[in-house]
Amino acid sequence: MAPGLVWLMAVTCGLVVANIYYNQPLLAEIGRTFGLSESRASLVATVTQVGYTLGLLLVVPLGDKRERKSLTLGLLLCSAACLGGAALAPSFGMLAAASLLIGLFSAVPQLLIPMAASLAGDEERGQVVGKVMSGLLIGVLLSRTISGYVGSQFGWRTMFWVGAGVMVVLTAVLARMLPRNQPQYAGSYGSLLRSLGTLVRELPVLRRSALVGACMFGGFSAFWTTLVFFLESPAYRYGAEVAGLFGLIGATGAFAASFAGKSADRKGADYALNLGILLFLGAYVLLGFGGTYLLGLIAGVVVLDVGQQMTHISNQTRIFSLRPEARSRLNTVYMTACFIGASAGSFLGGLAWDHFQWTGVCAVGLGLVALAYLANRFYGRQRDNTIIGE
């Protein structure tokens, strides 16, 4: 692949995925606007992730059937409209509905990542996926920094207007620069969705990767959903702007993407995956015992994001090697599981914060990473050599 195309995809992934995470540093402000408790306000993050999960399940499979460039442009314009709707929302119910649709139409990165994997050679696939994913992770983390600053200075509604404008500009850029990419699947939309079940049944490696990814994303989301509440608590007494700056700190973990991809290419995906799980576990131990100290919290954020990135890249490299003709659908199964886990993690994190504060959040994270380890160690270890035809 041409390096320019790889970086264009990486930037696109980062800008689009940011739509899902703008609301997290703004939850306390949103709660004050509508007179809501912290746990109720956190439902905005949960609903957005539910919408993204629906997009993964219902939209991303079309990447194996529809021309990817036109599909991508259409989704970007829909995202812009929904972000504008969130900015204008007169009630919490309307904001939640707009957030659901923002998540649904922000599935673009999960169309571009399989596209990048299909364009890359076998010997460089992990590295290319890692570079594109580095853009996505930087978007996830820097979105919180930007959102925290804009929200504290201009109000949370302004951030959604900015996001809408970015989507319009990005649509114009991609219309000019993104190549057309026509997949080969010729069946109906119904048969396309039914084939997801076939892939799940016949690929134990896919099932294991999806389960591990769900647990890891759950632990990741539990932390980031509740961080703003922790920083506003008596332990720190910081606002949304500082919460957003932690996204900038966590963005250092994005540099692990290329390393993870290279490790998966050279030493196998399992090596990088096990290392990522170990780092994630260490991060939550550090956050649990040292999170009330600023340096401990900063170190925990960096290690957590590095561990998450390594496990995610390793999982995707592993599943993309299974069925070249079905990479969008493989990514659908994997990422749907991940964001079901993320939605559950946001919910459990908010619940744990309400009842047990920071100790409860760390316990949720440790429990989920323990489940990820057990799933990777014991579930479906038999080797998969089957090939599913179209």
Side-chain angles (χ1 to χ4, degrees), residues 155-193:
W156 63 267
R157 295 181 188 273
T158 302
M159 188 62 246
F160 287 106
W161 282 122
V162 171
V166 169
M167 291 302 99
V168 172
V169 172
L170 186 59
T171 301
V173 172
L174 292 182
R176 181 179 179 83
M177 300 182 66
L178 190 68
R180 297 181 66 83
N181 185 255
Q182 181 65 54
Q184 302 300 315
Y185 188 85
S188 67
Y189 179 65
S191 67
L192 188 73
L193 293 183

PDB file of all heavy atoms in Angstrom, residues 155-193:
ATOM      1  N   GLY A 155     -19.133  25.247  26.234  1.00  0.00           N
ATOM      2  CA  GLY A 155     -20.338  24.460  26.476  1.00  0.00           C
ATOM      3  C   GLY A 155     -20.346  23.172  25.661  1.00  0.00           C
ATOM      4  O   GLY A 155     -19.748  23.097  24.583  1.00  0.00           O
ATOM      5  N   TRP A 156     -21.044  22.162  26.184  1.00  0.00           N
ATOM      6  CA  TRP A 156     -21.005  20.846  25.551  1.00  0.00           C
ATOM      7  C   TRP A 156     -21.666  20.833  24.183  1.00  0.00           C
ATOM      8  O   TRP A 156     -21.280  20.056  23.310  1.00  0.00           O
ATOM      9  CB  TRP A 156     -21.631  19.797  26.463  1.00  0.00           C
ATOM     10  CG  TRP A 156     -23.101  19.983  26.787  1.00  0.00           C
ATOM     11  CD1 TRP A 156     -23.620  20.634  27.856  1.00  0.00           C
ATOM     12  CD2 TRP A 156     -24.217  19.496  26.034  1.00  0.00           C
ATOM     13  NE1 TRP A 156     -25.003  20.598  27.815  1.00  0.00           N
ATOM     14  CE2 TRP A 156     -25.395  19.895  26.717  1.00  0.00           C
ATOM     15  CE3 TRP A 156     -24.338  18.763  24.858  1.00  0.00           C
ATOM     16  CZ2 TRP A 156     -26.674  19.575  26.250  1.00  0.00           C
ATOM     17  CZ3 TRP A 156     -25.615  18.448  24.388  1.00  0.00           C
ATOM     18  CH2 TRP A 156     -26.761  18.857  25.087  1.00  0.00           C
ATOM     19  N   ARG A 157     -22.655  21.680  23.937  1.00  0.00           N
ATOM     20  CA  ARG A 157     -23.326  21.691  22.628  1.00  0.00           C
ATOM     21  C   ARG A 157     -22.366  22.099  21.506  1.00  0.00           C
ATOM     22  O   ARG A 157     -22.455  21.596  20.377  1.00  0.00           O
ATOM     23  CB  ARG A 157     -24.537  22.622  22.660  1.00  0.00           C
ATOM     24  CG  ARG A 157     -25.647  22.166  23.604  1.00  0.00           C
ATOM     25  CD  ARG A 157     -26.826  23.114  23.566  1.00  0.00           C
ATOM     26  NE  ARG A 157     -27.812  22.797  24.590  1.00  0.00           N
ATOM     27  CZ  ARG A 157     -28.805  21.934  24.440  1.00  0.00           C
ATOM     28  NH1 ARG A 157     -28.939  21.301  23.281  1.00  0.00           N
ATOM     29  NH2 ARG A 157     -29.664  21.691  25.422  1.00  0.00           N
ATOM     30  N   THR A 158     -21.440  23.018  21.817  1.00  0.00           N
ATOM     31  CA  THR A 158     -20.488  23.478  20.807  1.00  0.00           C
ATOM     32  C   THR A 158     -19.653  22.321  20.270  1.00  0.00           C
ATOM     33  O   THR A 158     -19.338  22.276  19.072  1.00  0.00           O
ATOM     34  CB  THR A 158     -19.569  24.549  21.413  1.00  0.00           C
ATOM     35  OG1 THR A 158     -20.365  25.630  21.893  1.00  0.00           O
ATOM     36  CG2 THR A 158     -18.582  25.068  20.376  1.00  0.00           C
ATOM     37  N   MET A 159     -19.309  21.377  21.149  1.00  0.00           N
ATOM     38  CA  MET A 159     -18.473  20.258  20.718  1.00  0.00           C
ATOM     39  C   MET A 159     -19.177  19.436  19.646  1.00  0.00           C
ATOM     40  O   MET A 159     -18.543  18.970  18.687  1.00  0.00           O
ATOM     41  CB  MET A 159     -18.117  19.377  21.923  1.00  0.00           C
ATOM     42  CG  MET A 159     -17.087  18.303  21.597  1.00  0.00           C
ATOM     43  SD  MET A 159     -15.494  18.993  21.077  1.00  0.00           S
ATOM     44  CE  MET A 159     -15.426  18.455  19.368  1.00  0.00           C
ATOM     45  N   PHE A 160     -20.463  19.252  19.768  1.00  0.00           N
ATOM     46  CA  PHE A 160     -21.199  18.489  18.760  1.00  0.00           C
ATOM     47  C   PHE A 160     -21.279  19.254  17.434  1.00  0.00           C
ATOM     48  O   PHE A 160     -21.233  18.643  16.357  1.00  0.00           O
ATOM     49  CB  PHE A 160     -22.592  18.134  19.278  1.00  0.00           C
ATOM     50  CG  PHE A 160     -22.577  17.070  20.332  1.00  0.00           C
ATOM     51  CD1 PHE A 160     -22.805  17.380  21.664  1.00  0.00           C
ATOM     52  CD2 PHE A 160     -22.330  15.743  20.003  1.00  0.00           C
ATOM     53  CE1 PHE A 160     -22.790  16.401  22.639  1.00  0.00           C
ATOM     54  CE2 PHE A 160     -22.304  14.758  20.967  1.00  0.00           C
ATOM     55  CZ  PHE A 160     -22.529  15.087  22.294  1.00  0.00           C
ATOM     56  N   TRP A 161     -21.382  20.581  17.499  1.00  0.00           N
ATOM     57  CA  TRP A 161     -21.349  21.372  16.263  1.00  0.00           C
ATOM     58  C   TRP A 161     -19.988  21.251  15.576  1.00  0.00           C
ATOM     59  O   TRP A 161     -19.915  21.124  14.345  1.00  0.00           O
ATOM     60  CB  TRP A 161     -21.622  22.848  16.559  1.00  0.00           C
ATOM     61  CG  TRP A 161     -23.060  23.197  16.783  1.00  0.00           C
ATOM     62  CD1 TRP A 161     -23.615  23.779  17.878  1.00  0.00           C
ATOM     63  CD2 TRP A 161     -24.144  22.986  15.865  1.00  0.00           C
ATOM     64  NE1 TRP A 161     -24.968  23.939  17.727  1.00  0.00           N
ATOM     65  CE2 TRP A 161     -25.322  23.471  16.487  1.00  0.00           C
ATOM     66  CE3 TRP A 161     -24.245  22.442  14.590  1.00  0.00           C
ATOM     67  CZ2 TRP A 161     -26.568  23.415  15.875  1.00  0.00           C
ATOM     68  CZ3 TRP A 161     -25.491  22.391  13.980  1.00  0.00           C
ATOM     69  CH2 TRP A 161     -26.627  22.873  14.618  1.00  0.00           C
ATOM     70  N   VAL A 162     -18.922  21.281  16.340  1.00  0.00           N
ATOM     71  CA  VAL A 162     -17.583  21.113  15.767  1.00  0.00           C
ATOM     72  C   VAL A 162     -17.465  19.743  15.090  1.00  0.00           C
ATOM     73  O   VAL A 162     -16.941  19.620  13.973  1.00  0.00           O
ATOM     74  CB  VAL A 162     -16.511  21.267  16.862  1.00  0.00           C
ATOM     75  CG1 VAL A 162     -15.127  20.870  16.333  1.00  0.00           C
ATOM     76  CG2 VAL A 162     -16.481  22.702  17.385  1.00  0.00           C
ATOM     77  N   GLY A 163     -17.947  18.706  15.772  1.00  0.00           N
ATOM     78  CA  GLY A 163     -17.901  17.368  15.190  1.00  0.00           C
ATOM     79  C   GLY A 163     -18.657  17.279  13.875  1.00  0.00           C
ATOM     80  O   GLY A 163     -18.195  16.634  12.924  1.00  0.00           O
ATOM     81  N   ALA A 164     -19.816  17.934  13.796  1.00  0.00           N
ATOM     82  CA  ALA A 164     -20.594  17.932  12.552  1.00  0.00           C
ATOM     83  C   ALA A 164     -19.815  18.592  11.419  1.00  0.00           C
ATOM     84  O   ALA A 164     -19.785  18.085  10.283  1.00  0.00           O
ATOM     85  CB  ALA A 164     -21.928  18.650  12.768  1.00  0.00           C
ATOM     86  N   GLY A 165     -19.174  19.708  11.708  1.00  0.00           N
ATOM     87  CA  GLY A 165     -18.379  20.388  10.686  1.00  0.00           C
ATOM     88  C   GLY A 165     -17.212  19.547  10.203  1.00  0.00           C
ATOM     89  O   GLY A 165     -16.907  19.514   8.997  1.00  0.00           O
ATOM     90  N   VAL A 166     -16.551  18.846  11.123  1.00  0.00           N
ATOM     91  CA  VAL A 166     -15.430  17.988  10.748  1.00  0.00           C
ATOM     92  C   VAL A 166     -15.897  16.887   9.793  1.00  0.00           C
ATOM     93  O   VAL A 166     -15.212  16.556   8.814  1.00  0.00           O
ATOM     94  CB  VAL A 166     -14.779  17.378  12.004  1.00  0.00           C
ATOM     95  CG1 VAL A 166     -13.786  16.280  11.627  1.00  0.00           C
ATOM     96  CG2 VAL A 166     -14.061  18.457  12.816  1.00  0.00           C
ATOM     97  N   MET A 167     -17.075  16.321  10.039  1.00  0.00           N
ATOM     98  CA  MET A 167     -17.584  15.252   9.165  1.00  0.00           C
ATOM     99  C   MET A 167     -17.866  15.764   7.755  1.00  0.00           C
ATOM    100  O   MET A 167     -17.622  15.062   6.763  1.00  0.00           O
ATOM    101  CB  MET A 167     -18.859  14.647   9.760  1.00  0.00           C
ATOM    102  CG  MET A 167     -18.650  13.839  11.031  1.00  0.00           C
ATOM    103  SD  MET A 167     -17.504  12.445  10.840  1.00  0.00           S
ATOM    104  CE  MET A 167     -15.995  13.167  11.526  1.00  0.00           C
ATOM    105  N   VAL A 168     -18.363  16.984   7.644  1.00  0.00           N
ATOM    106  CA  VAL A 168     -18.637  17.557   6.324  1.00  0.00           C
ATOM    107  C   VAL A 168     -17.331  17.764   5.553  1.00  0.00           C
ATOM    108  O   VAL A 168     -17.223  17.411   4.367  1.00  0.00           O
ATOM    109  CB  VAL A 168     -19.405  18.888   6.459  1.00  0.00           C
ATOM    110  CG1 VAL A 168     -19.515  19.579   5.106  1.00  0.00           C
ATOM    111  CG2 VAL A 168     -20.799  18.643   7.035  1.00  0.00           C
ATOM    112  N   VAL A 169     -16.322  18.316   6.213  1.00  0.00           N
ATOM    113  CA  VAL A 169     -15.022  18.534   5.561  1.00  0.00           C
ATOM    114  C   VAL A 169     -14.394  17.206   5.167  1.00  0.00           C
ATOM    115  O   VAL A 169     -13.853  17.052   4.058  1.00  0.00           O
ATOM    116  CB  VAL A 169     -14.087  19.329   6.492  1.00  0.00           C
ATOM    117  CG1 VAL A 169     -12.677  19.397   5.909  1.00  0.00           C
ATOM    118  CG2 VAL A 169     -14.636  20.730   6.729  1.00  0.00           C
ATOM    119  N   LEU A 170     -14.460  16.217   6.050  1.00  0.00           N
ATOM    120  CA  LEU A 170     -13.870  14.910   5.769  1.00  0.00           C
ATOM    121  C   LEU A 170     -14.548  14.246   4.573  1.00  0.00           C
ATOM    122  O   LEU A 170     -13.890  13.602   3.746  1.00  0.00           O
ATOM    123  CB  LEU A 170     -13.986  14.018   7.006  1.00  0.00           C
ATOM    124  CG  LEU A 170     -13.303  12.657   6.941  1.00  0.00           C
ATOM    125  CD1 LEU A 170     -11.811  12.802   6.685  1.00  0.00           C
ATOM    126  CD2 LEU A 170     -13.550  11.880   8.229  1.00  0.00           C
ATOM    127  N   THR A 171     -15.850  14.408   4.456  1.00  0.00           N
ATOM    128  CA  THR A 171     -16.576  13.860   3.308  1.00  0.00           C
ATOM    129  C   THR A 171     -16.025  14.424   2.001  1.00  0.00           C
ATOM    130  O   THR A 171     -15.814  13.693   1.031  1.00  0.00           O
ATOM    131  CB  THR A 171     -18.080  14.170   3.423  1.00  0.00           C
ATOM    132  OG1 THR A 171     -18.594  13.609   4.628  1.00  0.00           O
ATOM    133  CG2 THR A 171     -18.842  13.584   2.242  1.00  0.00           C
ATOM    134  N   ALA A 172     -15.788  15.727   1.983  1.00  0.00           N
ATOM    135  CA  ALA A 172     -15.255  16.362   0.770  1.00  0.00           C
ATOM    136  C   ALA A 172     -13.855  15.848   0.436  1.00  0.00           C
ATOM    137  O   ALA A 172     -13.537  15.597  -0.731  1.00  0.00           O
ATOM    138  CB  ALA A 172     -15.238  17.883   0.952  1.00  0.00           C
ATOM    139  N   VAL A 173     -13.019  15.658   1.441  1.00  0.00           N
ATOM    140  CA  VAL A 173     -11.655  15.181   1.212  1.00  0.00           C
ATOM    141  C   VAL A 173     -11.664  13.757   0.674  1.00  0.00           C
ATOM    142  O   VAL A 173     -10.974  13.421  -0.298  1.00  0.00           O
ATOM    143  CB  VAL A 173     -10.826  15.276   2.509  1.00  0.00           C
ATOM    144  CG1 VAL A 173      -9.468  14.591   2.332  1.00  0.00           C
ATOM    145  CG2 VAL A 173     -10.641  16.735   2.919  1.00  0.00           C
ATOM    146  N   LEU A 174     -12.448  12.889   1.297  1.00  0.00           N
ATOM    147  CA  LEU A 174     -12.469  11.483   0.880  1.00  0.00           C
ATOM    148  C   LEU A 174     -13.110  11.312  -0.492  1.00  0.00           C
ATOM    149  O   LEU A 174     -12.743  10.408  -1.244  1.00  0.00           O
ATOM    150  CB  LEU A 174     -13.209  10.644   1.912  1.00  0.00           C
ATOM    151  CG  LEU A 174     -12.520  10.488   3.267  1.00  0.00           C
ATOM    152  CD1 LEU A 174     -13.346   9.594   4.183  1.00  0.00           C
ATOM    153  CD2 LEU A 174     -11.125   9.931   3.129  1.00  0.00           C
ATOM    154  N   ALA A 175     -14.075  12.144  -0.808  1.00  0.00           N
ATOM    155  CA  ALA A 175     -14.687  12.067  -2.130  1.00  0.00           C
ATOM    156  C   ALA A 175     -13.651  12.268  -3.228  1.00  0.00           C
ATOM    157  O   ALA A 175     -13.764  11.712  -4.330  1.00  0.00           O
ATOM    158  CB  ALA A 175     -15.799  13.108  -2.255  1.00  0.00           C
ATOM    159  N   ARG A 176     -12.625  13.034  -2.920  1.00  0.00           N
ATOM    160  CA  ARG A 176     -11.577  13.319  -3.903  1.00  0.00           C
ATOM    161  C   ARG A 176     -10.429  12.303  -3.855  1.00  0.00           C
ATOM    162  O   ARG A 176      -9.864  11.947  -4.893  1.00  0.00           O
ATOM    163  CB  ARG A 176     -11.022  14.727  -3.651  1.00  0.00           C
ATOM    164  CG  ARG A 176      -9.939  15.157  -4.633  1.00  0.00           C
ATOM    165  CD  ARG A 176      -9.471  16.570  -4.324  1.00  0.00           C
ATOM    166  NE  ARG A 176      -8.417  17.006  -5.228  1.00  0.00           N
ATOM    167  CZ  ARG A 176      -8.613  17.501  -6.436  1.00  0.00           C
ATOM    168  NH1 ARG A 176      -9.845  17.650  -6.900  1.00  0.00           N
ATOM    169  NH2 ARG A 176      -7.589  17.870  -7.187  1.00  0.00           N
ATOM    170  N   MET A 177     -10.088  11.796  -2.668  1.00  0.00           N
ATOM    171  CA  MET A 177      -8.831  11.072  -2.501  1.00  0.00           C
ATOM    172  C   MET A 177      -8.969   9.572  -2.235  1.00  0.00           C
ATOM    173  O   MET A 177      -8.024   8.820  -2.484  1.00  0.00           O
ATOM    174  CB  MET A 177      -8.024  11.709  -1.357  1.00  0.00           C
ATOM    175  CG  MET A 177      -7.679  13.170  -1.594  1.00  0.00           C
ATOM    176  SD  MET A 177      -6.672  13.882  -0.258  1.00  0.00           S
ATOM    177  CE  MET A 177      -5.169  12.943  -0.451  1.00  0.00           C
ATOM    178  N   LEU A 178     -10.086   9.124  -1.705  1.00  0.00           N
ATOM    179  CA  LEU A 178     -10.212   7.698  -1.372  1.00  0.00           C
ATOM    180  C   LEU A 178     -10.481   6.886  -2.639  1.00  0.00           C
ATOM    181  O   LEU A 178     -11.370   7.240  -3.422  1.00  0.00           O
ATOM    182  CB  LEU A 178     -11.353   7.483  -0.370  1.00  0.00           C
ATOM    183  CG  LEU A 178     -11.452   6.087   0.258  1.00  0.00           C
ATOM    184  CD1 LEU A 178     -10.264   5.846   1.180  1.00  0.00           C
ATOM    185  CD2 LEU A 178     -12.758   5.956   1.036  1.00  0.00           C
ATOM    186  N   PRO A 179      -9.736   5.813  -2.879  1.00  0.00           N
ATOM    187  CA  PRO A 179      -9.987   5.003  -4.084  1.00  0.00           C
ATOM    188  C   PRO A 179     -11.274   4.205  -3.952  1.00  0.00           C
ATOM    189  O   PRO A 179     -11.728   3.903  -2.847  1.00  0.00           O
ATOM    190  CB  PRO A 179      -8.768   4.073  -4.136  1.00  0.00           C
ATOM    191  CG  PRO A 179      -8.333   3.945  -2.719  1.00  0.00           C
ATOM    192  CD  PRO A 179      -8.613   5.284  -2.087  1.00  0.00           C
ATOM    193  N   ARG A 180     -11.847   3.870  -5.082  1.00  0.00           N
ATOM    194  CA  ARG A 180     -13.011   2.992  -5.081  1.00  0.00           C
ATOM    195  C   ARG A 180     -12.547   1.571  -4.805  1.00  0.00           C
ATOM    196  O   ARG A 180     -11.457   1.162  -5.180  1.00  0.00           O
ATOM    197  CB  ARG A 180     -13.754   3.064  -6.420  1.00  0.00           C
ATOM    198  CG  ARG A 180     -14.310   4.448  -6.720  1.00  0.00           C
ATOM    199  CD  ARG A 180     -15.063   4.474  -8.033  1.00  0.00           C
ATOM    200  NE  ARG A 180     -16.273   3.659  -7.974  1.00  0.00           N
ATOM    201  CZ  ARG A 180     -17.437   4.072  -7.479  1.00  0.00           C
ATOM    202  NH1 ARG A 180     -17.537   5.295  -6.986  1.00  0.00           N
ATOM    203  NH2 ARG A 180     -18.489   3.290  -7.470  1.00  0.00           N
ATOM    204  N   ASN A 181     -13.408   0.807  -4.103  1.00  0.00           N
ATOM    205  CA  ASN A 181     -13.037  -0.554  -3.717  1.00  0.00           C
ATOM    206  C   ASN A 181     -14.292  -1.414  -3.755  1.00  0.00           C
ATOM    207  O   ASN A 181     -15.153  -1.304  -2.891  1.00  0.00           O
ATOM    208  CB  ASN A 181     -12.401  -0.552  -2.327  1.00  0.00           C
ATOM    209  CG  ASN A 181     -11.884  -1.912  -1.911  1.00  0.00           C
ATOM    210  OD1 ASN A 181     -12.502  -2.575  -1.093  1.00  0.00           O
ATOM    211  ND2 ASN A 181     -10.769  -2.339  -2.472  1.00  0.00           N
ATOM    212  N   GLN A 182     -14.398  -2.259  -4.770  1.00  0.00           N
ATOM    213  CA  GLN A 182     -15.593  -3.072  -4.976  1.00  0.00           C
ATOM    214  C   GLN A 182     -15.361  -4.495  -4.484  1.00  0.00           C
ATOM    215  O   GLN A 182     -14.510  -5.203  -5.009  1.00  0.00           O
ATOM    216  CB  GLN A 182     -15.964  -3.106  -6.455  1.00  0.00           C
ATOM    217  CG  GLN A 182     -17.216  -3.917  -6.763  1.00  0.00           C
ATOM    218  CD  GLN A 182     -18.453  -3.302  -6.141  1.00  0.00           C
ATOM    219  OE1 GLN A 182     -18.746  -2.130  -6.342  1.00  0.00           O
ATOM    220  NE2 GLN A 182     -19.183  -4.088  -5.356  1.00  0.00           N
ATOM    221  N   PRO A 183     -16.070  -4.948  -3.460  1.00  0.00           N
ATOM    222  CA  PRO A 183     -15.937  -6.331  -3.002  1.00  0.00           C
ATOM    223  C   PRO A 183     -16.631  -7.291  -3.962  1.00  0.00           C
ATOM    224  O   PRO A 183     -17.282  -6.872  -4.929  1.00  0.00           O
ATOM    225  CB  PRO A 183     -16.608  -6.318  -1.625  1.00  0.00           C
ATOM    226  CG  PRO A 183     -17.596  -5.195  -1.711  1.00  0.00           C
ATOM    227  CD  PRO A 183     -16.992  -4.173  -2.628  1.00  0.00           C
ATOM    228  N   GLN A 184     -16.532  -8.599  -3.659  1.00  0.00           N
ATOM    229  CA  GLN A 184     -16.984  -9.623  -4.599  1.00  0.00           C
ATOM    230  C   GLN A 184     -18.274 -10.327  -4.198  1.00  0.00           C
ATOM    231  O   GLN A 184     -18.813 -11.096  -4.986  1.00  0.00           O
ATOM    232  CB  GLN A 184     -15.876 -10.676  -4.772  1.00  0.00           C
ATOM    233  CG  GLN A 184     -14.551 -10.109  -5.263  1.00  0.00           C
ATOM    234  CD  GLN A 184     -14.693  -9.426  -6.613  1.00  0.00           C
ATOM    235  OE1 GLN A 184     -15.332  -9.938  -7.525  1.00  0.00           O
ATOM    236  NE2 GLN A 184     -14.100  -8.243  -6.736  1.00  0.00           N
ATOM    237  N   TYR A 185     -18.777 -10.119  -2.985  1.00  0.00           N
ATOM    238  CA  TYR A 185     -19.945 -10.866  -2.540  1.00  0.00           C
ATOM    239  C   TYR A 185     -21.159 -10.501  -3.400  1.00  0.00           C
ATOM    240  O   TYR A 185     -21.471  -9.323  -3.585  1.00  0.00           O
ATOM    241  CB  TYR A 185     -20.241 -10.564  -1.070  1.00  0.00           C
ATOM    242  CG  TYR A 185     -21.318 -11.446  -0.478  1.00  0.00           C
ATOM    243  CD1 TYR A 185     -21.004 -12.691   0.041  1.00  0.00           C
ATOM    244  CD2 TYR A 185     -22.647 -11.033  -0.443  1.00  0.00           C
ATOM    245  CE1 TYR A 185     -21.978 -13.504   0.585  1.00  0.00           C
ATOM    246  CE2 TYR A 185     -23.630 -11.835   0.101  1.00  0.00           C
ATOM    247  CZ  TYR A 185     -23.292 -13.071   0.607  1.00  0.00           C
ATOM    248  OH  TYR A 185     -24.260 -13.873   1.146  1.00  0.00           O
ATOM    249  N   ALA A 186     -21.866 -11.521  -3.887  1.00  0.00           N
ATOM    250  CA  ALA A 186     -22.965 -11.289  -4.824  1.00  0.00           C
ATOM    251  C   ALA A 186     -24.330 -11.673  -4.257  1.00  0.00           C
ATOM    252  O   ALA A 186     -25.341 -11.520  -4.935  1.00  0.00           O
ATOM    253  CB  ALA A 186     -22.719 -12.065  -6.119  1.00  0.00           C
ATOM    254  N   GLY A 187     -24.375 -12.173  -3.036  1.00  0.00           N
ATOM    255  CA  GLY A 187     -25.647 -12.599  -2.457  1.00  0.00           C
ATOM    256  C   GLY A 187     -26.476 -11.432  -1.956  1.00  0.00           C
ATOM    257  O   GLY A 187     -26.103 -10.260  -2.069  1.00  0.00           O
ATOM    258  N   SER A 188     -27.616 -11.751  -1.366  1.00  0.00           N
ATOM    259  CA  SER A 188     -28.522 -10.736  -0.831  1.00  0.00           C
ATOM    260  C   SER A 188     -28.029 -10.237   0.527  1.00  0.00           C
ATOM    261  O   SER A 188     -27.164 -10.846   1.161  1.00  0.00           O
ATOM    262  CB  SER A 188     -29.927 -11.321  -0.677  1.00  0.00           C
ATOM    263  OG  SER A 188     -29.933 -12.333   0.328  1.00  0.00           O
ATOM    264  N   TYR A 189     -28.635  -9.130   0.974  1.00  0.00           N
ATOM    265  CA  TYR A 189     -28.288  -8.592   2.292  1.00  0.00           C
ATOM    266  C   TYR A 189     -28.648  -9.596   3.388  1.00  0.00           C
ATOM    267  O   TYR A 189     -27.901  -9.769   4.358  1.00  0.00           O
ATOM    268  CB  TYR A 189     -29.024  -7.271   2.516  1.00  0.00           C
ATOM    269  CG  TYR A 189     -28.759  -6.628   3.862  1.00  0.00           C
ATOM    270  CD1 TYR A 189     -27.489  -6.162   4.195  1.00  0.00           C
ATOM    271  CD2 TYR A 189     -29.780  -6.479   4.793  1.00  0.00           C
ATOM    272  CE1 TYR A 189     -27.247  -5.556   5.421  1.00  0.00           C
ATOM    273  CE2 TYR A 189     -29.549  -5.876   6.027  1.00  0.00           C
ATOM    274  CZ  TYR A 189     -28.285  -5.421   6.339  1.00  0.00           C
ATOM    275  OH  TYR A 189     -28.046  -4.828   7.556  1.00  0.00           O
ATOM    276  N   GLY A 190     -29.776 -10.271   3.222  1.00  0.00           N
ATOM    277  CA  GLY A 190     -30.166 -11.275   4.208  1.00  0.00           C
ATOM    278  C   GLY A 190     -29.167 -12.409   4.305  1.00  0.00           C
ATOM    279  O   GLY A 190     -28.794 -12.841   5.403  1.00  0.00           O
ATOM    280  N   SER A 191     -28.710 -12.912   3.158  1.00  0.00           N
ATOM    281  CA  SER A 191     -27.727 -13.999   3.186  1.00  0.00           C
ATOM    282  C   SER A 191     -26.396 -13.511   3.737  1.00  0.00           C
ATOM    283  O   SER A 191     -25.656 -14.267   4.384  1.00  0.00           O
ATOM    284  CB  SER A 191     -27.538 -14.577   1.780  1.00  0.00           C
ATOM    285  OG  SER A 191     -26.928 -13.631   0.909  1.00  0.00           O
ATOM    286  N   LEU A 192     -26.081 -12.232   3.497  1.00  0.00           N
ATOM    287  CA  LEU A 192     -24.861 -11.648   4.047  1.00  0.00           C
ATOM    288  C   LEU A 192     -24.895 -11.684   5.572  1.00  0.00           C
ATOM    289  O   LEU A 192     -23.920 -12.082   6.230  1.00  0.00           O
ATOM    290  CB  LEU A 192     -24.715 -10.209   3.557  1.00  0.00           C
ATOM    291  CG  LEU A 192     -23.410  -9.481   3.876  1.00  0.00           C
ATOM    292  CD1 LEU A 192     -22.278 -10.011   3.010  1.00  0.00           C
ATOM    293  CD2 LEU A 192     -23.581  -7.980   3.666  1.00  0.00           C
ATOM    294  N   LEU A 193     -26.035 -11.277   6.152  1.00  0.00           N
ATOM    295  CA  LEU A 193     -26.155 -11.294   7.605  1.00  0.00           C
ATOM    296  C   LEU A 193     -26.182 -12.718   8.143  1.00  0.00           C
ATOM    297  O   LEU A 193     -25.607 -13.005   9.204  1.00  0.00           O
ATOM    298  CB  LEU A 193     -27.415 -10.546   8.039  1.00  0.00           C
ATOM    299  CG  LEU A 193     -27.435  -9.038   7.786  1.00  0.00           C
ATOM    300  CD1 LEU A 193     -28.708  -8.418   8.338  1.00  0.00           C
ATOM    301  CD2 LEU A 193     -26.216  -8.353   8.392  1.00  0.00           C
TER     302      LEU A 193
END
